PDB file of all heavy atoms in Angstrom:
ATOM      1  N   PRO A   8      -5.307  -0.140   4.986  1.00  0.00           N
ATOM      2  CA  PRO A   8      -4.173   0.310   5.789  1.00  0.00           C
ATOM      3  C   PRO A   8      -3.245   1.244   5.002  1.00  0.00           C
ATOM      4  O   PRO A   8      -3.361   1.353   3.772  1.00  0.00           O
ATOM      5  CB  PRO A   8      -3.449  -0.997   6.131  1.00  0.00           C
ATOM      6  CG  PRO A   8      -3.850  -1.946   5.079  1.00  0.00           C
ATOM      7  CD  PRO A   8      -5.233  -1.570   4.673  1.00  0.00           C
ATOM      8  N   PRO A   9      -2.313   1.916   5.693  1.00  0.00           N
ATOM      9  CA  PRO A   9      -1.341   2.755   4.979  1.00  0.00           C
ATOM     10  C   PRO A   9      -0.589   1.928   3.950  1.00  0.00           C
ATOM     11  O   PRO A   9      -0.105   0.844   4.269  1.00  0.00           O
ATOM     12  CB  PRO A   9      -0.395   3.236   6.095  1.00  0.00           C
ATOM     13  CG  PRO A   9      -0.711   2.436   7.315  1.00  0.00           C
ATOM     14  CD  PRO A   9      -2.097   1.928   7.154  1.00  0.00           C
ATOM     15  N   GLY A  10      -0.527   2.431   2.728  1.00  0.00           N
ATOM     16  CA  GLY A  10       0.193   1.717   1.672  1.00  0.00           C
ATOM     17  C   GLY A  10      -0.668   0.721   0.920  1.00  0.00           C
ATOM     18  O   GLY A  10      -0.188   0.050   0.009  1.00  0.00           O
ATOM     19  N   ALA A  11      -1.961   0.650   1.236  1.00  0.00           N
ATOM     20  CA  ALA A  11      -2.841  -0.323   0.566  1.00  0.00           C
ATOM     21  C   ALA A  11      -3.065   0.033  -0.904  1.00  0.00           C
ATOM     22  O   ALA A  11      -3.431  -0.826  -1.711  1.00  0.00           O
ATOM     23  CB  ALA A  11      -4.182  -0.399   1.285  1.00  0.00           C
ATOM     24  N   GLY A  12      -2.869   1.324  -1.236  1.00  0.00           N
ATOM     25  CA  GLY A  12      -3.094   1.752  -2.621  1.00  0.00           C
ATOM     26  C   GLY A  12      -4.295   2.682  -2.752  1.00  0.00           C
ATOM     27  O   GLY A  12      -4.755   2.946  -3.866  1.00  0.00           O
ATOM     28  N   LYS A  13      -4.766   3.216  -1.642  1.00  0.00           N
ATOM     29  CA  LYS A  13      -5.950   4.095  -1.683  1.00  0.00           C
ATOM     30  C   LYS A  13      -5.694   5.312  -2.568  1.00  0.00           C
ATOM     31  O   LYS A  13      -6.488   5.638  -3.439  1.00  0.00           O
ATOM     32  CB  LYS A  13      -6.326   4.577  -0.264  1.00  0.00           C
ATOM     33  CG  LYS A  13      -6.579   3.464   0.732  1.00  0.00           C
ATOM     34  CD  LYS A  13      -6.943   3.997   2.102  1.00  0.00           C
ATOM     35  CE  LYS A  13      -5.860   4.802   2.779  1.00  0.00           C
ATOM     36  NZ  LYS A  13      -4.644   4.044   3.159  1.00  0.00           N
ATOM     37  N   GLY A  14      -4.563   5.989  -2.306  1.00  0.00           N
ATOM     38  CA  GLY A  14      -4.254   7.206  -3.064  1.00  0.00           C
ATOM     39  C   GLY A  14      -4.021   6.915  -4.537  1.00  0.00           C
ATOM     40  O   GLY A  14      -4.522   7.627  -5.409  1.00  0.00           O
ATOM     41  N   THR A  15      -3.272   5.845  -4.810  1.00  0.00           N
ATOM     42  CA  THR A  15      -2.965   5.465  -6.197  1.00  0.00           C
ATOM     43  C   THR A  15      -4.268   5.219  -6.969  1.00  0.00           C
ATOM     44  O   THR A  15      -4.456   5.723  -8.080  1.00  0.00           O
ATOM     45  CB  THR A  15      -2.126   4.157  -6.203  1.00  0.00           C
ATOM     46  OG1 THR A  15      -0.957   4.376  -5.442  1.00  0.00           O
ATOM     47  CG2 THR A  15      -1.771   3.710  -7.606  1.00  0.00           C
ATOM     48  N   THR A  31      -7.770  13.287   3.187  1.00  0.00           N
ATOM     49  CA  THR A  31      -7.490  14.106   4.377  1.00  0.00           C
ATOM     50  C   THR A  31      -5.985  14.201   4.606  1.00  0.00           C
ATOM     51  O   THR A  31      -5.488  15.216   5.086  1.00  0.00           O
ATOM     52  CB  THR A  31      -8.206  13.553   5.634  1.00  0.00           C
ATOM     53  OG1 THR A  31      -8.139  12.140   5.621  1.00  0.00           O
ATOM     54  CG2 THR A  31      -9.629  14.025   5.708  1.00  0.00           C
ATOM     55  N   GLY A  32      -5.238  13.142   4.253  1.00  0.00           N
ATOM     56  CA  GLY A  32      -3.786  13.190   4.383  1.00  0.00           C
ATOM     57  C   GLY A  32      -3.210  14.330   3.542  1.00  0.00           C
ATOM     58  O   GLY A  32      -2.401  15.135   4.015  1.00  0.00           O
ATOM     59  N   LEU A  35      -4.171  17.711   5.016  1.00  0.00           N
ATOM     60  CA  LEU A  35      -3.387  18.032   6.220  1.00  0.00           C
ATOM     61  C   LEU A  35      -1.948  18.390   5.845  1.00  0.00           C
ATOM     62  O   LEU A  35      -1.367  19.315   6.411  1.00  0.00           O
ATOM     63  CB  LEU A  35      -3.408  16.843   7.196  1.00  0.00           C
ATOM     64  CG  LEU A  35      -4.755  16.599   7.895  1.00  0.00           C
ATOM     65  CD1 LEU A  35      -4.774  15.235   8.587  1.00  0.00           C
ATOM     66  CD2 LEU A  35      -5.059  17.700   8.903  1.00  0.00           C
ATOM     67  N   ARG A  36      -1.380  17.650   4.868  1.00  0.00           N
ATOM     68  CA  ARG A  36       0.000  17.983   4.446  1.00  0.00           C
ATOM     69  C   ARG A  36       0.053  19.397   3.862  1.00  0.00           C
ATOM     70  O   ARG A  36       1.002  20.153   4.088  1.00  0.00           O
ATOM     71  CB  ARG A  36       0.532  16.947   3.441  1.00  0.00           C
ATOM     72  CG  ARG A  36       1.058  15.680   4.122  1.00  0.00           C
ATOM     73  CD  ARG A  36       1.717  14.747   3.142  1.00  0.00           C
ATOM     74  NE  ARG A  36       0.769  14.072   2.279  1.00  0.00           N
ATOM     75  CZ  ARG A  36       0.021  13.024   2.660  1.00  0.00           C
ATOM     76  NH1 ARG A  36       0.127  12.535   3.861  1.00  0.00           N
ATOM     77  NH2 ARG A  36      -0.837  12.459   1.830  1.00  0.00           N
ATOM     78  N   MET A  53       1.310  13.838  12.883  1.00  0.00           N
ATOM     79  CA  MET A  53       1.558  13.124  11.626  1.00  0.00           C
ATOM     80  C   MET A  53       2.979  12.549  11.597  1.00  0.00           C
ATOM     81  O   MET A  53       3.205  11.460  11.074  1.00  0.00           O
ATOM     82  CB  MET A  53       1.319  14.046  10.431  1.00  0.00           C
ATOM     83  CG  MET A  53      -0.139  14.427  10.289  1.00  0.00           C
ATOM     84  SD  MET A  53      -0.414  15.665   9.044  1.00  0.00           S
ATOM     85  CE  MET A  53      -0.345  14.700   7.548  1.00  0.00           C
ATOM     86  N   GLY A  57       0.500   9.111  14.431  1.00  0.00           N
ATOM     87  CA  GLY A  57      -0.771   9.088  15.176  1.00  0.00           C
ATOM     88  C   GLY A  57      -1.893   9.700  14.353  1.00  0.00           C
ATOM     89  O   GLY A  57      -1.688  10.092  13.202  1.00  0.00           O
ATOM     90  N   LEU A  58      -3.070   9.769  14.959  1.00  0.00           N
ATOM     91  CA  LEU A  58      -4.215  10.340  14.247  1.00  0.00           C
ATOM     92  C   LEU A  58      -4.499  11.763  14.728  1.00  0.00           C
ATOM     93  O   LEU A  58      -4.520  12.032  15.933  1.00  0.00           O
ATOM     94  CB  LEU A  58      -5.474   9.485  14.462  1.00  0.00           C
ATOM     95  CG  LEU A  58      -5.471   8.091  13.841  1.00  0.00           C
ATOM     96  CD1 LEU A  58      -6.825   7.421  14.059  1.00  0.00           C
ATOM     97  CD2 LEU A  58      -5.154   8.138  12.353  1.00  0.00           C
ATOM     98  N   VAL A  59      -4.738  12.636  13.781  1.00  0.00           N
ATOM     99  CA  VAL A  59      -5.128  14.016  14.068  1.00  0.00           C
ATOM    100  C   VAL A  59      -6.550  13.971  14.663  1.00  0.00           C
ATOM    101  O   VAL A  59      -7.303  13.028  14.401  1.00  0.00           O
ATOM    102  CB  VAL A  59      -5.065  14.837  12.755  1.00  0.00           C
ATOM    103  CG1 VAL A  59      -5.568  16.250  12.939  1.00  0.00           C
ATOM    104  CG2 VAL A  59      -3.622  14.844  12.224  1.00  0.00           C
ATOM    105  N   VAL A  64     -10.450  16.891  11.484  1.00  0.00           N
ATOM    106  CA  VAL A  64     -10.657  16.288  10.149  1.00  0.00           C
ATOM    107  C   VAL A  64     -12.116  16.338   9.717  1.00  0.00           C
ATOM    108  O   VAL A  64     -12.410  16.518   8.531  1.00  0.00           O
ATOM    109  CB  VAL A  64     -10.083  14.849  10.036  1.00  0.00           C
ATOM    110  CG1 VAL A  64      -8.583  14.859  10.004  1.00  0.00           C
ATOM    111  CG2 VAL A  64     -10.583  13.931  11.094  1.00  0.00           C
ATOM    112  N   GLY A  85      -8.708   7.975   2.994  1.00  0.00           N
ATOM    113  CA  GLY A  85      -8.100   8.266   4.295  1.00  0.00           C
ATOM    114  C   GLY A  85      -9.070   8.859   5.303  1.00  0.00           C
ATOM    115  O   GLY A  85      -8.678   9.244   6.397  1.00  0.00           O
ATOM    116  N   PHE A  86     -10.329   8.938   4.954  1.00  0.00           N
ATOM    117  CA  PHE A  86     -11.389   9.418   5.842  1.00  0.00           C
ATOM    118  C   PHE A  86     -12.651   8.630   5.509  1.00  0.00           C
ATOM    119  O   PHE A  86     -12.932   8.450   4.326  1.00  0.00           O
ATOM    120  CB  PHE A  86     -11.635  10.919   5.622  1.00  0.00           C
ATOM    121  CG  PHE A  86     -12.747  11.467   6.488  1.00  0.00           C
ATOM    122  CD1 PHE A  86     -12.470  12.050   7.704  1.00  0.00           C
ATOM    123  CD2 PHE A  86     -14.076  11.378   6.086  1.00  0.00           C
ATOM    124  CE1 PHE A  86     -13.495  12.547   8.513  1.00  0.00           C
ATOM    125  CE2 PHE A  86     -15.102  11.862   6.885  1.00  0.00           C
ATOM    126  CZ  PHE A  86     -14.808  12.449   8.099  1.00  0.00           C
ATOM    127  N   ARG A  88     -11.609   7.549   9.593  1.00  0.00           N
ATOM    128  CA  ARG A  88     -10.564   6.700  10.151  1.00  0.00           C
ATOM    129  C   ARG A  88     -10.881   6.263  11.566  1.00  0.00           C
ATOM    130  O   ARG A  88     -10.112   5.521  12.156  1.00  0.00           O
ATOM    131  CB  ARG A  88      -9.270   7.513  10.215  1.00  0.00           C
ATOM    132  CG  ARG A  88      -8.206   7.060   9.240  1.00  0.00           C
ATOM    133  CD  ARG A  88      -7.092   8.082   9.392  1.00  0.00           C
ATOM    134  NE  ARG A  88      -5.846   7.602   8.928  1.00  0.00           N
ATOM    135  CZ  ARG A  88      -5.339   7.884   7.725  1.00  0.00           C
ATOM    136  NH1 ARG A  88      -6.002   8.596   6.871  1.00  0.00           N
ATOM    137  NH2 ARG A  88      -4.148   7.432   7.397  1.00  0.00           N
ATOM    138  N   GLN A  92     -15.524   9.607  13.328  1.00  0.00           N
ATOM    139  CA  GLN A  92     -15.502  10.241  11.992  1.00  0.00           C
ATOM    140  C   GLN A  92     -16.577   9.641  11.088  1.00  0.00           C
ATOM    141  O   GLN A  92     -17.209  10.345  10.302  1.00  0.00           O
ATOM    142  CB  GLN A  92     -14.123  10.071  11.344  1.00  0.00           C
ATOM    143  CG  GLN A  92     -13.037  10.882  12.039  1.00  0.00           C
ATOM    144  CD  GLN A  92     -11.657  10.687  11.423  1.00  0.00           C
ATOM    145  OE1 GLN A  92     -11.525  10.304  10.264  1.00  0.00           O
ATOM    146  NE2 GLN A  92     -10.612  10.948  12.196  1.00  0.00           N
ATOM    147  N   ARG A 123       6.088  -0.964   0.211  1.00  0.00           N
ATOM    148  CA  ARG A 123       5.377  -0.032  -0.675  1.00  0.00           C
ATOM    149  C   ARG A 123       5.576   1.415  -0.232  1.00  0.00           C
ATOM    150  O   ARG A 123       5.801   2.305  -1.044  1.00  0.00           O
ATOM    151  CB  ARG A 123       3.869  -0.336  -0.649  1.00  0.00           C
ATOM    152  CG  ARG A 123       3.491  -1.522  -1.506  1.00  0.00           C
ATOM    153  CD  ARG A 123       2.000  -1.527  -1.668  1.00  0.00           C
ATOM    154  NE  ARG A 123       1.528  -2.717  -2.350  1.00  0.00           N
ATOM    155  CZ  ARG A 123       0.262  -2.954  -2.606  1.00  0.00           C
ATOM    156  NH1 ARG A 123      -0.652  -2.096  -2.222  1.00  0.00           N
ATOM    157  NH2 ARG A 123      -0.098  -4.047  -3.236  1.00  0.00           N
ATOM    158  N   ARG A 127       7.860   4.836  -1.978  1.00  0.00           N
ATOM    159  CA  ARG A 127       6.924   5.770  -2.622  1.00  0.00           C
ATOM    160  C   ARG A 127       7.539   7.154  -2.823  1.00  0.00           C
ATOM    161  O   ARG A 127       8.263   7.657  -1.978  1.00  0.00           O
ATOM    162  CB  ARG A 127       5.682   5.908  -1.733  1.00  0.00           C
ATOM    163  CG  ARG A 127       4.787   7.076  -2.121  1.00  0.00           C
ATOM    164  CD  ARG A 127       3.475   7.045  -1.423  1.00  0.00           C
ATOM    165  NE  ARG A 127       3.574   7.036   0.019  1.00  0.00           N
ATOM    166  CZ  ARG A 127       2.540   6.790   0.811  1.00  0.00           C
ATOM    167  NH1 ARG A 127       1.365   6.527   0.286  1.00  0.00           N
ATOM    168  NH2 ARG A 127       2.688   6.806   2.099  1.00  0.00           N
ATOM    169  N   TYR A 137       4.212   7.716  -7.509  1.00  0.00           N
ATOM    170  CA  TYR A 137       5.100   6.707  -8.126  1.00  0.00           C
ATOM    171  C   TYR A 137       5.684   5.799  -7.055  1.00  0.00           C
ATOM    172  O   TYR A 137       5.547   6.045  -5.852  1.00  0.00           O
ATOM    173  CB  TYR A 137       6.243   7.409  -8.873  1.00  0.00           C
ATOM    174  CG  TYR A 137       5.763   8.270 -10.015  1.00  0.00           C
ATOM    175  CD1 TYR A 137       5.623   9.643  -9.865  1.00  0.00           C
ATOM    176  CD2 TYR A 137       5.418   7.681 -11.226  1.00  0.00           C
ATOM    177  CE1 TYR A 137       5.158  10.428 -10.909  1.00  0.00           C
ATOM    178  CE2 TYR A 137       4.945   8.470 -12.279  1.00  0.00           C
ATOM    179  CZ  TYR A 137       4.823   9.836 -12.111  1.00  0.00           C
ATOM    180  OH  TYR A 137       4.346  10.597 -13.137  1.00  0.00           O
ATOM    181  N   HIS A 138       6.401   4.762  -7.519  1.00  0.00           N
ATOM    182  CA  HIS A 138       7.119   3.867  -6.616  1.00  0.00           C
ATOM    183  C   HIS A 138       8.436   3.463  -7.274  1.00  0.00           C
ATOM    184  O   HIS A 138       8.488   3.281  -8.499  1.00  0.00           O
ATOM    185  CB  HIS A 138       6.272   2.618  -6.335  1.00  0.00           C
ATOM    186  CG  HIS A 138       6.822   1.765  -5.239  1.00  0.00           C
ATOM    187  ND1 HIS A 138       7.849   0.868  -5.454  1.00  0.00           N
ATOM    188  CD2 HIS A 138       6.516   1.691  -3.924  1.00  0.00           C
ATOM    189  CE1 HIS A 138       8.133   0.271  -4.301  1.00  0.00           C
ATOM    190  NE2 HIS A 138       7.343   0.748  -3.366  1.00  0.00           N
ATOM    191  N   TYR A 141       7.462  -0.515  -8.222  1.00  0.00           N
ATOM    192  CA  TYR A 141       6.156  -0.931  -8.758  1.00  0.00           C
ATOM    193  C   TYR A 141       5.489   0.054  -9.702  1.00  0.00           C
ATOM    194  O   TYR A 141       4.576  -0.305 -10.430  1.00  0.00           O
ATOM    195  CB  TYR A 141       5.189  -1.224  -7.599  1.00  0.00           C
ATOM    196  CG  TYR A 141       5.757  -2.165  -6.579  1.00  0.00           C
ATOM    197  CD1 TYR A 141       5.879  -1.788  -5.249  1.00  0.00           C
ATOM    198  CD2 TYR A 141       6.184  -3.441  -6.950  1.00  0.00           C
ATOM    199  CE1 TYR A 141       6.418  -2.648  -4.303  1.00  0.00           C
ATOM    200  CE2 TYR A 141       6.725  -4.301  -6.009  1.00  0.00           C
ATOM    201  CZ  TYR A 141       6.844  -3.904  -4.694  1.00  0.00           C
ATOM    202  OH  TYR A 141       7.378  -4.746  -3.761  1.00  0.00           O
ATOM    203  N   GLN A 142       5.916   1.317  -9.660  1.00  0.00           N
ATOM    204  CA  GLN A 142       5.229   2.319 -10.495  1.00  0.00           C
ATOM    205  C   GLN A 142       6.212   3.418 -10.880  1.00  0.00           C
ATOM    206  O   GLN A 142       6.107   4.558 -10.437  1.00  0.00           O
ATOM    207  CB  GLN A 142       4.045   2.912  -9.700  1.00  0.00           C
ATOM    208  CG  GLN A 142       3.037   3.656 -10.546  1.00  0.00           C
ATOM    209  CD  GLN A 142       1.954   4.312  -9.683  1.00  0.00           C
ATOM    210  OE1 GLN A 142       2.052   4.389  -8.461  1.00  0.00           O
ATOM    211  NE2 GLN A 142       0.915   4.810 -10.327  1.00  0.00           N
ATOM    212  N   ARG A 161       7.501  11.701   1.301  1.00  0.00           N
ATOM    213  CA  ARG A 161       6.809  12.157   2.499  1.00  0.00           C
ATOM    214  C   ARG A 161       7.660  11.980   3.748  1.00  0.00           C
ATOM    215  O   ARG A 161       8.344  10.960   3.898  1.00  0.00           O
ATOM    216  CB  ARG A 161       5.494  11.377   2.666  1.00  0.00           C
ATOM    217  CG  ARG A 161       4.373  11.980   1.864  1.00  0.00           C
ATOM    218  CD  ARG A 161       3.156  11.123   1.808  1.00  0.00           C
ATOM    219  NE  ARG A 161       2.684  10.589   3.076  1.00  0.00           N
ATOM    220  CZ  ARG A 161       1.601   9.848   3.201  1.00  0.00           C
ATOM    221  NH1 ARG A 161       0.858   9.588   2.124  1.00  0.00           N
ATOM    222  NH2 ARG A 161       1.235   9.379   4.367  1.00  0.00           N
ATOM    223  N   ASP A 163       6.698  11.250   6.654  1.00  0.00           N
ATOM    224  CA  ASP A 163       6.265  10.141   7.529  1.00  0.00           C
ATOM    225  C   ASP A 163       6.437   8.772   6.865  1.00  0.00           C
ATOM    226  O   ASP A 163       5.981   7.764   7.393  1.00  0.00           O
ATOM    227  CB  ASP A 163       4.804  10.333   7.969  1.00  0.00           C
ATOM    228  CG  ASP A 163       3.815  10.375   6.803  1.00  0.00           C
ATOM    229  OD1 ASP A 163       4.264  10.542   5.647  1.00  0.00           O
ATOM    230  OD2 ASP A 163       2.610  10.225   7.037  1.00  0.00           O
ATOM    231  N   ARG A 172       1.590   3.896  12.217  1.00  0.00           N
ATOM    232  CA  ARG A 172       0.381   4.145  11.410  1.00  0.00           C
ATOM    233  C   ARG A 172      -0.431   2.857  11.270  1.00  0.00           C
ATOM    234  O   ARG A 172      -1.656   2.873  11.277  1.00  0.00           O
ATOM    235  CB  ARG A 172       0.778   4.686  10.029  1.00  0.00           C
ATOM    236  CG  ARG A 172       1.148   6.163  10.094  1.00  0.00           C
ATOM    237  CD  ARG A 172       2.071   6.596   8.991  1.00  0.00           C
ATOM    238  NE  ARG A 172       1.529   6.464   7.660  1.00  0.00           N
ATOM    239  CZ  ARG A 172       2.275   6.551   6.555  1.00  0.00           C
ATOM    240  NH1 ARG A 172       3.567   6.797   6.628  1.00  0.00           N
ATOM    241  NH2 ARG A 172       1.714   6.421   5.380  1.00  0.00           N
ATOM    242  N   GLY A 198      -6.110  -6.023  -2.977  1.00  0.00           N
ATOM    243  CA  GLY A 198      -5.142  -4.953  -3.218  1.00  0.00           C
ATOM    244  C   GLY A 198      -3.725  -5.467  -3.420  1.00  0.00           C
ATOM    245  O   GLY A 198      -2.801  -4.676  -3.583  1.00  0.00           O
ATOM    246  N   ALA A 200      -2.907  -7.449  -5.938  1.00  0.00           N
ATOM    247  CA  ALA A 200      -2.719  -7.613  -7.391  1.00  0.00           C
ATOM    248  C   ALA A 200      -1.971  -6.392  -7.944  1.00  0.00           C
ATOM    249  O   ALA A 200      -1.909  -5.345  -7.281  1.00  0.00           O
ATOM    250  CB  ALA A 200      -4.085  -7.745  -8.049  1.00  0.00           C
ATOM    251  N   PRO A 201      -1.409  -6.490  -9.157  1.00  0.00           N
ATOM    252  CA  PRO A 201      -0.778  -5.317  -9.767  1.00  0.00           C
ATOM    253  C   PRO A 201      -1.769  -4.151  -9.908  1.00  0.00           C
ATOM    254  O   PRO A 201      -2.985  -4.375  -9.964  1.00  0.00           O
ATOM    255  CB  PRO A 201      -0.330  -5.827 -11.142  1.00  0.00           C
ATOM    256  CG  PRO A 201      -0.219  -7.311 -10.968  1.00  0.00           C
ATOM    257  CD  PRO A 201      -1.272  -7.698  -9.973  1.00  0.00           C
ATOM    258  N   ILE A 202      -1.228  -2.920  -9.947  1.00  0.00           N
ATOM    259  CA  ILE A 202      -2.061  -1.714  -9.903  1.00  0.00           C
ATOM    260  C   ILE A 202      -3.195  -1.724 -10.946  1.00  0.00           C
ATOM    261  O   ILE A 202      -4.340  -1.411 -10.633  1.00  0.00           O
ATOM    262  CB  ILE A 202      -1.163  -0.463 -10.070  1.00  0.00           C
ATOM    263  CG1 ILE A 202      -0.259  -0.337  -8.838  1.00  0.00           C
ATOM    264  CG2 ILE A 202      -1.982   0.809 -10.272  1.00  0.00           C
ATOM    265  CD1 ILE A 202       0.832   0.737  -8.927  1.00  0.00           C
ATOM    266  N   VAL A 205      -5.992  -4.085  -9.928  1.00  0.00           N
ATOM    267  CA  VAL A 205      -6.806  -3.543  -8.828  1.00  0.00           C
ATOM    268  C   VAL A 205      -7.796  -2.523  -9.411  1.00  0.00           C
ATOM    269  O   VAL A 205      -8.985  -2.513  -9.071  1.00  0.00           O
ATOM    270  CB  VAL A 205      -5.923  -2.873  -7.744  1.00  0.00           C
ATOM    271  CG1 VAL A 205      -6.777  -2.274  -6.632  1.00  0.00           C
ATOM    272  CG2 VAL A 205      -4.937  -3.881  -7.156  1.00  0.00           C
TER     273      VAL A 205
HETATM  274  P1  LIG B   1      -2.604   9.511   4.663  1.00  0.00           P
HETATM  275  O1  LIG B   1      -1.952  10.434   3.714  1.00  0.00           O
HETATM  276  O2  LIG B   1      -4.041   9.214   4.504  1.00  0.00           O
HETATM  277  O3  LIG B   1      -1.735   8.178   4.693  1.00  0.00           O
HETATM  278  P2  LIG B   1      -2.158   6.629   4.899  1.00  0.00           P
HETATM  279  O4  LIG B   1      -3.545   6.305   5.213  1.00  0.00           O
HETATM  280  O5  LIG B   1      -1.134   6.183   5.856  1.00  0.00           O
HETATM  281  O6  LIG B   1      -2.116   6.080   3.540  1.00  0.00           O
HETATM  282  P3  LIG B   1      -0.978   6.180   2.534  1.00  0.00           P
HETATM  283  O7  LIG B   1      -1.077   7.456   1.763  1.00  0.00           O
HETATM  284  O8  LIG B   1       0.329   5.915   3.215  1.00  0.00           O
HETATM  285  O9  LIG B   1      -1.269   4.901   1.656  1.00  0.00           O
HETATM  286  P4  LIG B   1      -2.181   4.655   0.383  1.00  0.00           P
HETATM  287  O10 LIG B   1      -3.141   3.576   0.720  1.00  0.00           O
HETATM  288  O11 LIG B   1      -2.753   5.937  -0.155  1.00  0.00           O
HETATM  289  O12 LIG B   1      -1.076   4.064  -0.577  1.00  0.00           O
HETATM  290  P5  LIG B   1      -0.548   4.587  -2.000  1.00  0.00           P
HETATM  291  O13 LIG B   1      -1.630   4.544  -2.997  1.00  0.00           O
HETATM  292  O14 LIG B   1       0.193   5.880  -1.860  1.00  0.00           O
HETATM  293  O15 LIG B   1      -2.402  10.019   6.167  1.00  0.00           O
HETATM  294  C1  LIG B   1      -1.163  10.495   6.634  1.00  0.00           C
HETATM  295  C2  LIG B   1      -1.336  10.968   8.082  1.00  0.00           C
HETATM  296  O16 LIG B   1      -2.273  12.058   8.150  1.00  0.00           O
HETATM  297  C3  LIG B   1      -1.901   9.927   9.059  1.00  0.00           C
HETATM  298  O17 LIG B   1      -0.882   9.097   9.583  1.00  0.00           O
HETATM  299  C4  LIG B   1      -2.540  10.826  10.119  1.00  0.00           C
HETATM  300  O18 LIG B   1      -1.601  11.351  11.012  1.00  0.00           O
HETATM  301  C5  LIG B   1      -3.114  11.972   9.290  1.00  0.00           C
HETATM  302  N1  LIG B   1      -4.499  11.753   8.853  1.00  0.00           N
HETATM  303  C6  LIG B   1      -4.939  11.648   7.572  1.00  0.00           C
HETATM  304  N2  LIG B   1      -6.279  11.455   7.530  1.00  0.00           N
HETATM  305  C7  LIG B   1      -6.690  11.431   8.821  1.00  0.00           C
HETATM  306  C8  LIG B   1      -7.974  11.231   9.434  1.00  0.00           C
HETATM  307  N3  LIG B   1      -9.078  11.019   8.678  1.00  0.00           N
HETATM  308  N4  LIG B   1      -8.035  11.242  10.778  1.00  0.00           N
HETATM  309  C9  LIG B   1      -6.929  11.463  11.544  1.00  0.00           C
HETATM  310  N5  LIG B   1      -5.697  11.651  11.038  1.00  0.00           N
HETATM  311  C10 LIG B   1      -5.579  11.635   9.682  1.00  0.00           C
HETATM  312  O19 LIG B   1       0.482   3.410  -2.329  1.00  0.00           O
HETATM  313  C11 LIG B   1       1.718   3.279  -1.641  1.00  0.00           C
HETATM  314  C12 LIG B   1       2.839   2.923  -2.628  1.00  0.00           C
HETATM  315  O20 LIG B   1       2.602   1.614  -3.134  1.00  0.00           O
HETATM  316  C13 LIG B   1       2.918   3.863  -3.845  1.00  0.00           C
HETATM  317  O21 LIG B   1       4.260   4.142  -4.126  1.00  0.00           O
HETATM  318  C14 LIG B   1       2.269   3.058  -4.997  1.00  0.00           C
HETATM  319  O22 LIG B   1       2.928   3.316  -6.219  1.00  0.00           O
HETATM  320  C15 LIG B   1       2.502   1.605  -4.560  1.00  0.00           C
HETATM  321  N6  LIG B   1       1.351   0.748  -4.900  1.00  0.00           N
HETATM  322  C16 LIG B   1       0.030   1.062  -4.812  1.00  0.00           C
HETATM  323  N7  LIG B   1      -0.744   0.021  -5.203  1.00  0.00           N
HETATM  324  C17 LIG B   1       0.134  -0.982  -5.539  1.00  0.00           C
HETATM  325  C18 LIG B   1      -0.052  -2.310  -6.027  1.00  0.00           C
HETATM  326  N8  LIG B   1      -1.284  -2.825  -6.247  1.00  0.00           N
HETATM  327  N9  LIG B   1       1.062  -3.057  -6.261  1.00  0.00           N
HETATM  328  C19 LIG B   1       2.310  -2.546  -6.032  1.00  0.00           C
HETATM  329  N10 LIG B   1       2.540  -1.283  -5.591  1.00  0.00           N
HETATM  330  C20 LIG B   1       1.459  -0.501  -5.340  1.00  0.00           C
END
Side-chain angles (χ1 to χ4, degrees):
K13 304 180 297 294
T15 302
T31 40
L35 289 167
R36 279 187 287 282
M53 293 172 79
L58 293 184
V59 175
V64 288
F86 179 94
R88 249 175 159 99
Q92 291 178 23
R123 281 193 187 180
R127 167 169 57 191
Y137 297 99
H138 190 279
Y141 309 122
Q142 196 185 11
R161 276 170 48 178
D163 60 345
R172 282 155 62 193
I202 293 172
V205 178

